Amino acid sequence: MLFKQVAGNNSIKEALIQQVQHNRVSHAQLFFGPEGSGCLPMAIAFAQYISCLHKQANDSCGSCSSCIKFEKLVHPDFHMVFPVNTNSSIKKDASCDDFIAEWRSMIADNPYFNLYDWLKSLGIENKQGNIGTDEGTNMIRKLNLTTYESEYKIMLIWMPECLHHTTANKLLKILEEPPEKTVFLLVAESRDQLLVTIQSRTQAMRFKPLSDEEIGQFLIDEQAIENQKAVQIAALSEGNLNKALKLSQEAELLKKDIDDFLDWMRICFKINMPKLLVWVDKMAGVGRENQKNFLAHAVQLTRQTLMLNLNLPELVKLSQTDKELLKKFAQFVNAGNCDDLLTAFDKAYYALERNANAKMLFLNLSFRVSTLLNRKMELKSVA
Ligand SMILES: [Zn+2]
């Protein structure tokens, strides 16, 4: 991770770069701040900068052999410790090494995640995350390894709040007599939950919630989100980039669903057979879970459309852009056909659960939807 890929916090970036430039990297540092403020990506960018073989004035080079390993989080001198617990695949003595692949992919997806997100990705969100006693032994073993490629060995400990007290004491001992050329980066949300002795042995960097501007800029630069949407999401995310990223994903998914749904409705309404057959083929190929999701969203969107139609805006849970999209469809949904449309979607959903043939099912469903949508038009013309 490069510094330029980390959201905001420019004064902290500058201070970290200065440490390296002036050869004053302190051996134990604590990065702490609220969820989504970016302590973890900053610590990774810092570790990469320390190890980069062709450091630039403001960032790692991004292309040396060290940087390339850091991109994949596989550098042999960079160790990461994080809370874990047993799950359906690791049934006892869970250690960080057991979950390193999941950890790497989590960071690649969104390095602003919180502890709940992490445990949820392991299927154990109802358990506690621990950095247990065995992990302390593993830490010492890893530190005793000779440095492979870098001047420094770096050990990042994420959520040290979860350290077992025996492990915390082991860590404290190491921090009191630090091995040479070793850097500890502790990345926490709450400083107060750490042993006072650990607090006093580490140099602290406090991260504040990100500003709306910092979040907006990150969404535009790193997520390619259009300006206006980025500003809207930033305003809703309370300085928490994790929340902002989740909001933007939901918005994207919803947008795609609405587009897909409206395409289908248009095809049904006009009874465009060639297009309908292509659509049915496509739907038949997306897999059972996606088909069920599509129908579940069709139910939601139809309900929302009726709310729009009945002028009950307080019940409509859509953004302004999505409302505009659905408004065009709203004229074909009314109290007279809405129930029948919902029933048709529901029936199809349950038929899918009972392994109905997807092609036949979506073809029949489309004909039924077509009849229902056009029924509205007839009523209108009579009126
Ligand atoms: Zn480099």
Side-chain angles (χ1 to χ4, degrees):
M1 184 136 1
L2 301 175
F3 279 126
K4 71 170 183 208
Q5 295 168 308
V6 181
N9 283 307
N10 288 332
S11 57
I12 292 181
K13 273 179 205 169
E14 187 50 38
L16 295 173
I17 289 166
Q18 290 304 316
Q19 279 189 32
V20 179
Q21 292 285 351
H22 295 105
N23 223 354
R24 286 190 279 102
V25 177
S26 60
H27 81 279
Q29 310 199 29
L30 169 65
F31 293 8
F32 72 103
E35 178 194 334
S37 58
C39 299
L40 178 61
M42 188 73 89
I44 295 171
F46 183 42
Q48 178 164 344
Y49 191 59
I50 293 173
S51 312
C52 175
L53 303 173
H54 303 295
K55 294 179 203 10
Q56 318 285 301
N58 294 316
D59 217 329
S60 305
C61 74
S63 54
C64 69
S65 59
S66 169
C67 281
I68 286 167
K69 285 176 192 148
F70 262 95
E71 258 335 288
K72 298 182 202 144
L73 297 175
V74 296
H75 197 292
D77 300 315
F78 181 47
H79 305 286
M80 292 173 285
V81 176
F82 39 84
V84 292
N85 208 322
T86 48
N87 73 353
S88 58
S89 42
I90 306 295
K91 296 197 193 310
K92 69 186 260 247
D93 301 334
S95 79
C96 295
D97 290 344
D98 294 323
F99 294 109
I100 190 70
E102 289 86 346
W103 173 254
R104 286 177 184 134
S105 83
M106 189 82 190
I107 291 176
D109 276 359
N110 161 18
Y112 297 84
F113 59 89
N114 62 24
L115 182 58
Y116 178 83
D117 298 330
W118 165 236
L119 295 175
K120 190 165 183 236
S121 77
L122 303 179
I124 49 171
E125 64 272 25
N126 48 357
K127 289 191 180 180
Q128 225 178 341
N130 299 318
I131 302 177
T133 46
D134 289 348
E135 212 59 66
T137 318
N138 290 343
M139 273 159 56
I140 293 172
R141 177 177 54 79
K142 286 172 183 170
L143 290 176
N144 286 335
L145 297 172
T146 35
T147 312
Y148 285 95
E149 294 172 15
S150 298
E151 192 185 351
Y152 285 95
K153 229 177 291 186
I154 302 172
M155 180 156 284
L156 184 155
I157 304 175
W158 183 65
M159 296 303 289
E161 294 96 322
C162 300
L163 281 163
H164 185 276
H165 63 92
T166 318
T167 316
N169 281 314
K170 251 180 203 161
L171 173 66
L172 185 62
K173 277 226 168 66
I174 307 174
L175 296 181
E176 279 164 352
E177 290 169 43
E180 273 216 5
K181 298 282 181 189
T182 300
V183 178
F184 282 88
L185 301 176
L186 276 59
V187 178
E189 274 186 16
S190 160
R191 190 185 188 209
D192 301 337
Q193 284 181 39
L194 304 177
L195 289 179
V196 178
T197 37
I198 287 187
Q199 292 180 35
S200 67
R201 292 269 163 198
T202 49
Q203 179 180 310
M205 294 259 183
R206 179 197 289 271
F207 287 59
K208 289 191 221 125
L210 294 165
S211 68
D212 286 2
E213 290 71 28
E214 286 171 328
I215 289 184
Q217 200 57 50
F218 180 89
L219 295 177
I220 293 165
D221 294 346
E222 297 293 323
Q223 302 288 309
I225 289 174
E226 61 181 72
N227 283 32
Q228 198 197 349
K229 197 156 220 164
V231 171
Q232 282 174 351
I233 293 173
L236 293 171
S237 52
E238 299 165 322
N240 177 344
L241 191 45
N242 188 31
K243 189 172 174 188
L245 288 168
K246 285 178 184 167
L247 284 172
S248 68
Q249 278 165 3
E250 278 166 22
E252 281 309 299
L253 283 178
L254 192 64
K255 167 90 170 56
K256 195 183 166 303
D257 279 348
I258 293 180
D259 286 345
D260 288 351
F261 176 71
L262 291 180
D263 277 348
W264 181 40
M265 290 296 107
R266 253 174 242 126
I267 295 170
C268 290
F269 179 66
K270 291 185 179 157
I271 322 179
N272 183 328
M273 272 315 279
K275 279 194 177 171
L276 180 57
L277 292 176
V278 171
W279 183 86
V280 167
D281 265 343
K282 196 181 112 196
M283 269 315 276
V286 299
R288 194 120 324 209
E289 281 313 303
N290 288 326
Q291 290 160 356
K292 280 162 61 186
N293 280 340
F294 181 81
L295 288 176
H297 285 136
V299 168
Q300 282 173 2
L301 290 171
T302 306
R303 273 208 198 101
Q304 296 279 312
T305 306
L306 183 68
M307 300 295 166
L308 268 178
N309 228 8
L310 296 175
N311 251 331
L312 297 169
E314 70 276 12
L315 294 176
V316 177
K317 295 173 181 144
L318 298 166
S319 75
Q320 199 50 42
T321 328
D322 300 333
K323 275 185 201 164
E324 291 304 319
L325 276 173
L326 279 189
K327 262 185 193 159
K328 288 176 204 150
F329 172 58
Q331 58 182 309
F332 303 111
V333 176
N334 68 2
N337 65 6
C338 183
D339 272 353
D340 289 341
L341 279 169
L342 293 173
T343 307
F345 295 145
D346 268 342
K347 270 192 182 163
Y349 183 96
Y350 289 110
L352 275 177
E353 281 201 323
R354 292 192 301 271
N355 286 326
N357 176 301
K359 224 176 201 174
M360 284 308 293
L361 181 140
F362 279 107
L363 191 60
N364 287 334
L365 177 62
S366 301
F367 289 142
R368 174 79 181 134
V369 169
S370 173
T371 310
L372 291 171
L373 292 180
N374 284 288
R375 180 205 280 176
K376 165 78 187 339
M377 285 305 278
E378 283 161 23
L379 283 178
K380 248 188 140 177
S381 60
V382 171

PDB file of all heavy atoms in Angstrom, residues 2 48-49 51-56 59-68, ligand 1:
ATOM      1  N   LEU A   2       0.548   2.171  -0.881  1.00  0.00           N
ATOM      2  CA  LEU A   2       1.314   3.422  -0.937  1.00  0.00           C
ATOM      3  C   LEU A   2       0.636   4.455  -0.043  1.00  0.00           C
ATOM      4  O   LEU A   2      -0.571   4.399   0.185  1.00  0.00           O
ATOM      5  CB  LEU A   2       1.363   3.949  -2.372  1.00  0.00           C
ATOM      6  CG  LEU A   2       1.988   3.021  -3.415  1.00  0.00           C
ATOM      7  CD1 LEU A   2       1.862   3.617  -4.814  1.00  0.00           C
ATOM      8  CD2 LEU A   2       3.458   2.751  -3.090  1.00  0.00           C
ATOM      9  N   GLN A  48       5.703  -0.537   4.467  1.00  0.00           N
ATOM     10  CA  GLN A  48       6.203  -0.655   3.095  1.00  0.00           C
ATOM     11  C   GLN A  48       7.268   0.399   2.818  1.00  0.00           C
ATOM     12  O   GLN A  48       8.291   0.109   2.170  1.00  0.00           O
ATOM     13  CB  GLN A  48       5.024  -0.502   2.104  1.00  0.00           C
ATOM     14  CG  GLN A  48       5.486  -0.559   0.649  1.00  0.00           C
ATOM     15  CD  GLN A  48       4.337  -0.795  -0.324  1.00  0.00           C
ATOM     16  OE1 GLN A  48       3.248  -1.212   0.061  1.00  0.00           O
ATOM     17  NE2 GLN A  48       4.591  -0.538  -1.597  1.00  0.00           N
ATOM     18  N   TYR A  49       7.044   1.608   3.333  1.00  0.00           N
ATOM     19  CA  TYR A  49       8.004   2.700   3.098  1.00  0.00           C
ATOM     20  C   TYR A  49       9.331   2.404   3.796  1.00  0.00           C
ATOM     21  O   TYR A  49      10.407   2.604   3.222  1.00  0.00           O
ATOM     22  CB  TYR A  49       7.414   4.014   3.603  1.00  0.00           C
ATOM     23  CG  TYR A  49       8.192   5.247   3.180  1.00  0.00           C
ATOM     24  CD1 TYR A  49       8.400   5.536   1.834  1.00  0.00           C
ATOM     25  CD2 TYR A  49       8.719   6.117   4.132  1.00  0.00           C
ATOM     26  CE1 TYR A  49       9.101   6.659   1.441  1.00  0.00           C
ATOM     27  CE2 TYR A  49       9.424   7.249   3.749  1.00  0.00           C
ATOM     28  CZ  TYR A  49       9.621   7.513   2.398  1.00  0.00           C
ATOM     29  OH  TYR A  49      10.326   8.626   2.011  1.00  0.00           O
ATOM     30  N   SER A  51      10.598  -0.395   4.319  1.00  0.00           N
ATOM     31  CA  SER A  51      11.289  -1.496   3.643  1.00  0.00           C
ATOM     32  C   SER A  51      11.606  -1.229   2.179  1.00  0.00           C
ATOM     33  O   SER A  51      12.358  -2.003   1.570  1.00  0.00           O
ATOM     34  CB  SER A  51      10.428  -2.765   3.722  1.00  0.00           C
ATOM     35  OG  SER A  51       9.981  -2.968   5.037  1.00  0.00           O
ATOM     36  N   CYS A  52      11.015  -0.178   1.606  1.00  0.00           N
ATOM     37  CA  CYS A  52      11.186   0.083   0.161  1.00  0.00           C
ATOM     38  C   CYS A  52      12.669   0.264  -0.178  1.00  0.00           C
ATOM     39  O   CYS A  52      13.413   0.915   0.545  1.00  0.00           O
ATOM     40  CB  CYS A  52      10.395   1.332  -0.240  1.00  0.00           C
ATOM     41  SG  CYS A  52      10.663   1.826  -1.954  1.00  0.00           S
ATOM     42  N   LEU A  53      13.068  -0.309  -1.296  1.00  0.00           N
ATOM     43  CA  LEU A  53      14.480  -0.264  -1.692  1.00  0.00           C
ATOM     44  C   LEU A  53      14.808   1.001  -2.490  1.00  0.00           C
ATOM     45  O   LEU A  53      15.969   1.348  -2.661  1.00  0.00           O
ATOM     46  CB  LEU A  53      14.828  -1.513  -2.517  1.00  0.00           C
ATOM     47  CG  LEU A  53      14.553  -2.842  -1.799  1.00  0.00           C
ATOM     48  CD1 LEU A  53      14.772  -4.021  -2.749  1.00  0.00           C
ATOM     49  CD2 LEU A  53      15.398  -2.994  -0.551  1.00  0.00           C
ATOM     50  N   HIS A  54      13.799   1.666  -3.001  1.00  0.00           N
ATOM     51  CA  HIS A  54      14.034   2.918  -3.752  1.00  0.00           C
ATOM     52  C   HIS A  54      13.062   3.990  -3.279  1.00  0.00           C
ATOM     53  O   HIS A  54      12.222   4.466  -4.045  1.00  0.00           O
ATOM     54  CB  HIS A  54      13.837   2.691  -5.261  1.00  0.00           C
ATOM     55  CG  HIS A  54      14.709   1.608  -5.810  1.00  0.00           C
ATOM     56  ND1 HIS A  54      16.080   1.707  -5.846  1.00  0.00           N
ATOM     57  CD2 HIS A  54      14.409   0.387  -6.317  1.00  0.00           C
ATOM     58  CE1 HIS A  54      16.577   0.592  -6.368  1.00  0.00           C
ATOM     59  NE2 HIS A  54      15.588  -0.222  -6.651  1.00  0.00           N
ATOM     60  N   LYS A  55      13.185   4.345  -2.001  1.00  0.00           N
ATOM     61  CA  LYS A  55      12.240   5.305  -1.428  1.00  0.00           C
ATOM     62  C   LYS A  55      12.244   6.619  -2.197  1.00  0.00           C
ATOM     63  O   LYS A  55      13.294   7.148  -2.519  1.00  0.00           O
ATOM     64  CB  LYS A  55      12.642   5.634   0.013  1.00  0.00           C
ATOM     65  CG  LYS A  55      12.536   4.502   0.989  1.00  0.00           C
ATOM     66  CD  LYS A  55      12.984   4.988   2.354  1.00  0.00           C
ATOM     67  CE  LYS A  55      13.463   3.933   3.301  1.00  0.00           C
ATOM     68  NZ  LYS A  55      13.706   2.601   2.911  1.00  0.00           N
ATOM     69  N   GLN A  56      11.043   7.162  -2.440  1.00  0.00           N
ATOM     70  CA  GLN A  56      10.909   8.503  -2.989  1.00  0.00           C
ATOM     71  C   GLN A  56      10.770   9.466  -1.801  1.00  0.00           C
ATOM     72  O   GLN A  56      10.603   9.023  -0.668  1.00  0.00           O
ATOM     73  CB  GLN A  56       9.670   8.602  -3.880  1.00  0.00           C
ATOM     74  CG  GLN A  56       9.441   7.406  -4.786  1.00  0.00           C
ATOM     75  CD  GLN A  56      10.402   7.371  -5.969  1.00  0.00           C
ATOM     76  OE1 GLN A  56      10.424   8.299  -6.758  1.00  0.00           O
ATOM     77  NE2 GLN A  56      11.194   6.314  -6.071  1.00  0.00           N
ATOM     78  N   ASP A  59       6.908   8.924  -0.822  1.00  0.00           N
ATOM     79  CA  ASP A  59       6.189   7.652  -0.875  1.00  0.00           C
ATOM     80  C   ASP A  59       7.143   6.510  -1.253  1.00  0.00           C
ATOM     81  O   ASP A  59       8.275   6.751  -1.671  1.00  0.00           O
ATOM     82  CB  ASP A  59       5.050   7.730  -1.906  1.00  0.00           C
ATOM     83  CG  ASP A  59       3.810   6.971  -1.452  1.00  0.00           C
ATOM     84  OD1 ASP A  59       3.969   5.969  -0.731  1.00  0.00           O
ATOM     85  OD2 ASP A  59       2.707   7.384  -1.815  1.00  0.00           O
ATOM     86  N   SER A  60       6.636   5.292  -1.097  1.00  0.00           N
ATOM     87  CA  SER A  60       7.403   4.138  -1.578  1.00  0.00           C
ATOM     88  C   SER A  60       7.427   4.179  -3.098  1.00  0.00           C
ATOM     89  O   SER A  60       6.561   4.803  -3.727  1.00  0.00           O
ATOM     90  CB  SER A  60       6.725   2.841  -1.146  1.00  0.00           C
ATOM     91  OG  SER A  60       6.529   2.824   0.237  1.00  0.00           O
ATOM     92  N   CYS A  61       8.384   3.437  -3.690  1.00  0.00           N
ATOM     93  CA  CYS A  61       8.484   3.476  -5.153  1.00  0.00           C
ATOM     94  C   CYS A  61       7.354   2.685  -5.807  1.00  0.00           C
ATOM     95  O   CYS A  61       6.920   2.989  -6.906  1.00  0.00           O
ATOM     96  CB  CYS A  61       9.840   2.943  -5.601  1.00  0.00           C
ATOM     97  SG  CYS A  61      10.006   1.152  -5.473  1.00  0.00           S
ATOM     98  N   GLY A  62       6.871   1.640  -5.118  1.00  0.00           N
ATOM     99  CA  GLY A  62       5.772   0.849  -5.680  1.00  0.00           C
ATOM    100  C   GLY A  62       6.214  -0.197  -6.678  1.00  0.00           C
ATOM    101  O   GLY A  62       5.398  -0.994  -7.138  1.00  0.00           O
ATOM    102  N   SER A  63       7.518  -0.226  -7.016  1.00  0.00           N
ATOM    103  CA  SER A  63       7.916  -1.175  -8.056  1.00  0.00           C
ATOM    104  C   SER A  63       9.142  -2.021  -7.698  1.00  0.00           C
ATOM    105  O   SER A  63       9.480  -2.950  -8.429  1.00  0.00           O
ATOM    106  CB  SER A  63       8.171  -0.421  -9.368  1.00  0.00           C
ATOM    107  OG  SER A  63       9.101   0.610  -9.134  1.00  0.00           O
ATOM    108  N   CYS A  64       9.814  -1.739  -6.581  1.00  0.00           N
ATOM    109  CA  CYS A  64      10.981  -2.563  -6.221  1.00  0.00           C
ATOM    110  C   CYS A  64      10.505  -3.941  -5.742  1.00  0.00           C
ATOM    111  O   CYS A  64       9.308  -4.155  -5.525  1.00  0.00           O
ATOM    112  CB  CYS A  64      11.812  -1.871  -5.136  1.00  0.00           C
ATOM    113  SG  CYS A  64      10.997  -1.804  -3.542  1.00  0.00           S
ATOM    114  N   SER A  65      11.427  -4.866  -5.534  1.00  0.00           N
ATOM    115  CA  SER A  65      11.015  -6.223  -5.157  1.00  0.00           C
ATOM    116  C   SER A  65      10.310  -6.210  -3.799  1.00  0.00           C
ATOM    117  O   SER A  65       9.368  -6.970  -3.567  1.00  0.00           O
ATOM    118  CB  SER A  65      12.224  -7.152  -5.127  1.00  0.00           C
ATOM    119  OG  SER A  65      13.167  -6.665  -4.195  1.00  0.00           O
ATOM    120  N   SER A  66      10.741  -5.303  -2.917  1.00  0.00           N
ATOM    121  CA  SER A  66      10.090  -5.228  -1.604  1.00  0.00           C
ATOM    122  C   SER A  66       8.653  -4.728  -1.742  1.00  0.00           C
ATOM    123  O   SER A  66       7.718  -5.305  -1.181  1.00  0.00           O
ATOM    124  CB  SER A  66      10.899  -4.298  -0.691  1.00  0.00           C
ATOM    125  OG  SER A  66      10.168  -4.007   0.467  1.00  0.00           O
ATOM    126  N   CYS A  67       8.467  -3.650  -2.508  1.00  0.00           N
ATOM    127  CA  CYS A  67       7.122  -3.088  -2.699  1.00  0.00           C
ATOM    128  C   CYS A  67       6.179  -4.114  -3.328  1.00  0.00           C
ATOM    129  O   CYS A  67       5.007  -4.202  -2.955  1.00  0.00           O
ATOM    130  CB  CYS A  67       7.177  -1.835  -3.571  1.00  0.00           C
ATOM    131  SG  CYS A  67       7.722  -0.376  -2.665  1.00  0.00           S
ATOM    132  N   ILE A  68       6.696  -4.879  -4.267  1.00  0.00           N
ATOM    133  CA  ILE A  68       5.837  -5.860  -4.938  1.00  0.00           C
ATOM    134  C   ILE A  68       5.351  -6.914  -3.938  1.00  0.00           C
ATOM    135  O   ILE A  68       4.194  -7.303  -3.944  1.00  0.00           O
ATOM    136  CB  ILE A  68       6.580  -6.493  -6.135  1.00  0.00           C
ATOM    137  CG1 ILE A  68       6.636  -5.438  -7.262  1.00  0.00           C
ATOM    138  CG2 ILE A  68       5.906  -7.756  -6.630  1.00  0.00           C
ATOM    139  CD1 ILE A  68       7.580  -5.760  -8.381  1.00  0.00           C
TER     140      ILE A  68
HETATM  141 ZN    ZN B   1       9.859   0.188  -3.338  1.00  0.00          ZN
END
